[in-house]
Amino acid sequence: MRPIKTTASLLALGAALTACATTPTGGGSALITPGATVSGALEAGDLVMAEDNSLYDLYRMNGVANRRYAVTMRSDAFDTFLVVGTPSAGGGVDVLVTDDDGAGEGLNSRAEFVAPGGPLEIHANALSEGMSGAYTLSVEDLGEAPPLSPPGSLVPGAETAGELAETDDADANGVRFDAYAVRLSAGQRIEVTMRSDAFDTVVQIGSGTGYGWRGLKADDDGLGEGTNSRLRFTAPTDGVYEIRAQAFSGNGTGAYTLGLTDRGPPPPPPPPTPISVGEAVQGELTADSPVNADDIPYHAYLLSAEAGQRLMLTLGAEDFDTVVYVYRAGEADGEPLALDDDSGAGPLDSRLVWTVPQTGRYEVRAAAFSEGGQGAYDLAVTQMGPPPAARPLPADRRVSDALQEGDGTGDNGGWSDLWSFEANAGERLRLTASSDAFDTTLLVAGADGEGMGEPIAGNDDEAGGGGSTNSRFTWIVPETGRYVAAVSSFGGQGGGAYEMAIESLPPAPPLRPLDVPGAVNGVLQEGDATADDDSLYDGYRVRLEAGERVVISMSSGDFDTFLMVLRGEGDALEALASDDDGAGEGTDSRLNFTAPASGDYEIRANALTAGETGAYTLRVDPRPADPEPGSIIIGSTVRGVLEEGDGLADDATHFDAYRFRARAGDRLRISMVSAEFDAFLLLLGVDAEGRPGELLVSDDDSYGDTNARIDYDIPADGLYEVRANAYARDTGGAYVLTLERRPENEPAASAPAGE
């Protein structure tokens, strides 16, 4: 499921779209008009989303200001995703609305919005990388949107009391808000605080007014008080800005206060502290540290370096997420020459390998990743040796060598050997590196002169039979040419003798057709296809329709079975599901699988480990429909029993479903208690066609070790489904389920799914 988009994540998505649209890959654009339906196809050569490498087609239309439109995208071939926005000055798109499955039809999307007037961009997108195929796109004119109320006024130093109500204006995504106008000067720094005891607050600031408003920055809980917000903002230009007070859930109501403070000009930062190549320093970011225009704290260091020097800058901290930047001295207000966020040894650490472009002075910044990051840090600037030069692999593509003094230095700061080789498009290669002296890391990259370009594939410790110090991966060559294999030690630590080999693997045999329902008796034997871990498998092709539910089972008395379901071809082949012993019988496997899109799927009847062979039986059967859900009303308790024949989730656990009607703002508590199994609760929406929809919230043990409880504030009038589920497969028994209203003064204890 694609993560739920909050206001803040939509702003981030807009930035990502702006970045990707400036350098699109392939494709073009087409015009579409309201009332029209067009047919298209996502295929190789189309535009590519920078954030997830998914394909999209670009459509343009002219929107009439203050008119509401609906864009619907349907496909039987893939899961659709829509983005609608306006062209930005930077060459990208400012997002108005996104949608994954708003059409309520599983894989289809529907986005409703109000046009600000002028040109619009519609991105007909696949939900994820590797998806392609035919689709239809239609645009409807839904008529004039209701006028928005004029914004109130807010001045620095003032605090305003307000109330979100069901009658308030709603934005293009249907989120209610109160608007306040404030006039700011370029460079003016303000702080907006929003507090409420009635709902979880979100405060935003943007430019423009009405339906033409564009969010610039948002905050959910910057005050660190759970439900209250603090937004710090520096105005980029003179003008009137609009502050919007909202609820995190989108439809929360109740009283709030909104305060605005002029923070004044920032104090001048201290001059950078000198640092030399080969020096390590310690520092601490505090509330008094200088901040950049985004209020992110940093410390600046002045570094003198010579052209061609190859340096490693490492920044480590335990209390905050680090970022290390390099600027030309005196130009730190512009774009950095280089930066790194998380390539360091720890999850919060940074490591930047940088070659000095010309002799001079540079500013190095030790910074936090986000506003409010504070704590002690270590910063070091290290002179690195020259990068390794690639040597040609012998004809048999096998080599015995050693990482040792005199080798070139890799980007991880340790010794590295590069080996160049020629390969043809479509070749299936297995690359291995093994050593008893050090923990190996193996990468393959395109050749860049005598060195290596950007890594294409790699591995640290997947080689079977050699323990965790050996590396192995299987790679399909994308195009004919020269490539480089790089052998180094994990983390740049250690060296010694190693062996490296590249083997050509035979192409996998063609997939054998299998019907639903269907069964086959097979034998794993030498000559069958091999997986990346050297285990054998037979591949079967099954045609499934979108939403089709099947049970796949594999049994053998000769070896431990392993099942996989995959989709796609070549580098786009994606594993969707796998199982080792879901049949609960030691060596047998069972998968419950629901097809996300119509098309062909690959089922691999696999051995769990390398070297295992023997006879097996593989079955694919339709999964029976779940029983019709029961009903429950708010304020009631039901007693039930989980048993064979109940609903079956994708993880093979059983559940009973109950539906109830609720109104926006209902503050609910759902409890599930059992002395016979570990309870698990889920709450879902129900779409207009009566089908279970989006997962809203779930819980395992908030009501004790084996009991579950959900607190949830209903966002909109409608039908909802609660599932009384077992946490583990093959468990069940008696339970008690209670649906009741939560006391008015008690906040929700559960977080929505996806947070």
Side-chain angles (χ1 to χ4, degrees):
M1 182 178 70
R2 203 173 188 111
I4 297 171
K5 295 263 192 312
T6 63
T7 298
S9 67
L10 284 175
L11 295 179
L13 177 60
L17 289 171
T18 298
C20 81
T22 56
T23 54
T25 303
S29 64
L31 292 174
I32 189 169
T33 57
T37 297
V38 298
S39 298
L42 294 183
E43 54 196 359
D46 284 343
L47 295 161
V48 178
M49 283 283 289
E51 66 165 0
D52 61 3
N53 291 323
S54 59
L55 299 172
Y56 73 96
D57 285 342
L58 173 61
Y59 293 86
R60 301 183 187 275
M61 67 170 277
N62 286 317
V64 178
N66 299 331
R67 289 195 75 82
R68 183 174 290 277
Y69 297 95
V71 182
T72 304
M73 182 181 181
R74 292 185 170 92
S75 175
D76 293 328
F78 62 91
D79 199 350
T80 64
F81 187 70
L82 277 171
V83 178
V84 181
T86 59
S88 73
V93 59
D94 293 324
V95 176
L96 285 173
V97 64
T98 66
D99 184 74
D100 169 22
D101 56 11
E105 300 163 3
L107 305 178
N108 301 325
S109 308
R110 179 181 173 88
E112 295 188 10
F113 65 97
V114 178
L120 295 167
E121 287 191 6
I122 300 170
H123 294 192
N125 192 200
L127 180 63
S128 58
E129 182 179 1
M131 292 183 175
S132 61
Y135 66 85
T136 62
L137 185 76
S138 61
V139 179
E140 304 169 71
D141 187 334
L142 302 181
E144 192 79 12
L148 297 180
S149 305
S153 61
L154 203 59
V155 295
E159 184 172 87
T160 296
E163 183 174 359
L164 286 181
E166 294 184 3
T167 55
D168 282 343
D169 293 329
D171 63 15
N173 294 291
V175 177
R176 289 193 290 267
F177 67 90
D178 286 344
Y180 299 87
V182 58
R183 180 172 292 278
L184 302 175
S185 302
Q188 187 173 357
R189 305 190 319 150
I190 62 169
E191 179 175 292
V192 185
T193 56
M194 183 179 178
R195 291 182 168 90
S196 176
D197 294 327
F199 59 88
D200 193 356
T201 65
V202 173
V203 63
Q204 294 193 77
I205 191 166
S207 60
T209 58
Y211 292 114
W213 181 84
R214 293 292 177 273
L216 298 173
K217 194 174 183 181
D219 180 76
D220 166 29
D221 55 10
L223 277 173
E225 300 168 2
T227 61
N228 299 326
S229 307
R230 181 188 67 190
L231 173 66
R232 288 177 172 174
F233 177 73
T234 301
T237 60
D238 294 346
V240 176
Y241 294 81
E242 184 172 291
I243 296 169
R244 291 190 170 182
Q246 299 177 188
F248 183 83
S249 66
N251 291 301
T253 58
Y256 65 85
T257 60
L258 194 69
L260 175 63
T261 304
D262 189 324
R263 301 175 62 207
T273 302
I275 191 172
S276 303
V277 176
E279 185 178 359
V281 298
Q282 294 180 328
E284 184 175 3
L285 295 181
T286 69
D288 297 324
S289 296
V291 296
N292 64 13
D294 295 318
D295 283 304
I296 294 174
Y298 71 91
H299 284 165
Y301 295 86
L302 189 63
L303 173 69
S304 295
E306 298 181 1
Q309 275 187 293
R310 190 163 176 253
L311 305 178
M312 177 185 289
L313 295 88
T314 56
L315 177 62
E318 295 183 356
D319 297 327
F320 65 94
D321 196 355
T322 65
V323 185
V324 62
Y325 297 89
V326 179
Y327 299 86
R328 293 190 186 279
E331 299 180 8
D333 291 334
E335 290 295 315
L337 297 174
L339 66 90
D340 181 77
D341 166 29
D342 56 10
S343 297
L348 305 178
D349 299 341
S350 306
R351 181 180 62 205
L352 174 64
V353 176
W354 175 60
T355 301
V356 180
Q358 63 185 54
T359 300
R361 297 193 304 169
Y362 296 87
E363 182 174 316
V364 176
R365 286 192 174 183
F369 180 79
S370 58
E371 183 180 333
Q374 296 180 17
Y377 65 83
D378 296 292
L379 174 69
V381 181
T382 306
Q383 174 77 53
M384 297 182 66
R391 293 174 281 172
L393 266 179
D396 64 357
R397 292 178 173 175
R398 295 178 178 273
V399 65
S400 296
D401 209 291
L403 293 183
Q404 56 194 343
E405 192 74 38
D407 285 341
T409 306
D411 284 353
N412 64 4
W415 299 316
S416 180
D417 284 348
L418 304 186
W419 300 95
S420 65
F421 62 96
E422 302 288 333
N424 297 318
E427 272 193 276
R428 190 164 175 258
L429 304 178
R430 177 185 293 135
L431 295 86
T432 59
S434 59
S435 175
D436 294 327
F438 63 92
D439 192 354
T440 63
T441 294
L442 181 60
L443 300 173
V444 66
D448 183 7
E450 295 304 311
M452 65 182 290
E454 288 296 317
I456 300 171
N459 179 258
D460 164 35
D461 57 11
E462 289 300 320
S468 63
T469 63
N470 299 329
S471 307
R472 179 181 59 214
F473 61 95
T474 300
W475 174 59
I476 299 175
V477 181
E479 58 185 37
T480 299
R482 181 169 166 262
Y483 294 90
V484 170
V487 180
S488 62
S489 57
F490 181 75
Q493 303 297 312
Y498 69 86
E499 294 185 352
M500 198 272 288
I502 301 177
E503 304 170 76
S504 292
L505 300 178
L511 302 180
R512 310 171 195 179
L514 185 60
D515 294 328
V516 181
V520 63
N521 294 316
V523 178
L524 288 186
Q525 56 193 347
E526 290 300 323
D528 285 341
T530 56
D532 291 350
D533 62 356
D534 276 343
S535 61
L536 299 171
Y537 73 89
D538 288 339
Y540 295 88
R541 184 181 66 253
V542 176
R543 174 76 185 184
L544 299 175
E545 300 302 319
E548 188 173 354
R549 295 147 45 99
V550 293
V551 178
I552 308 166
S553 57
M554 182 182 179
S555 59
S556 173
D558 295 332
F559 61 90
D560 197 351
T561 65
F562 186 71
L563 274 173
M564 292 186 73
V565 180
L566 307 96
R567 188 162 187 251
E569 295 181 358
D571 287 338
L573 187 64
E574 178 185 9
L576 302 178
S578 64
D579 182 76
D580 168 25
D581 55 13
E585 297 166 7
T587 61
D588 297 341
S589 308
R590 183 180 65 197
L591 268 176
N592 290 282
F593 181 71
T594 303
S598 298
D600 288 338
Y601 291 81
E602 178 181 345
I603 297 176
R604 288 188 179 179
N606 196 190
L608 182 63
T609 57
E612 293 189 310
T613 61
Y616 66 86
T617 298
L618 177 71
R619 295 189 58 87
V620 182
D621 295 298
R623 182 169 140 192
D626 293 327
E628 288 296 315
S631 61
I632 187 173
I633 61 174
I634 299 173
S636 65
T637 296
V638 297
R639 298 179 183 272
V641 178
L642 285 186
E643 55 191 352
E644 287 295 328
D646 285 340
L648 196 63
D650 285 344
D651 63 358
T653 58
H654 287 102
F655 69 88
D656 287 339
Y658 300 89
R659 291 189 174 180
F660 63 93
R661 291 201 172 273
R663 298 184 62 82
D666 280 344
R667 299 159 53 83
L668 301 183
R669 170 166 292 162
I670 311 168
S671 304
M672 182 181 177
V673 177
S674 176
E676 299 182 23
F677 63 93
D678 193 354
F680 189 66
L681 274 174
L682 302 96
L683 180 64
L684 304 90
V686 177
D687 66 24
E689 305 298 323
R691 293 170 298 200
E694 174 188 3
L695 173 64
L696 301 173
V697 65
S698 63
D699 182 74
D700 168 29
D701 54 13
S702 290
Y703 205 30
D705 288 343
T706 61
N707 301 321
R709 185 175 74 184
I710 287 174
D711 289 350
Y712 190 72
D713 295 345
I714 296 296
D717 294 357
L719 190 62
Y720 294 84
E721 180 173 304
V722 59
R723 290 187 175 180
N725 194 194
Y727 183 77
R729 68 178 77 186
D730 299 322
T731 61
Y735 64 86
V736 177
L737 180 73
T738 301
L739 174 63
E740 59 189 337
R741 298 188 189 277
R742 201 170 68 252
E744 286 295 321
N745 59 354
E746 189 172 339
S750 304
E755 282 190 52

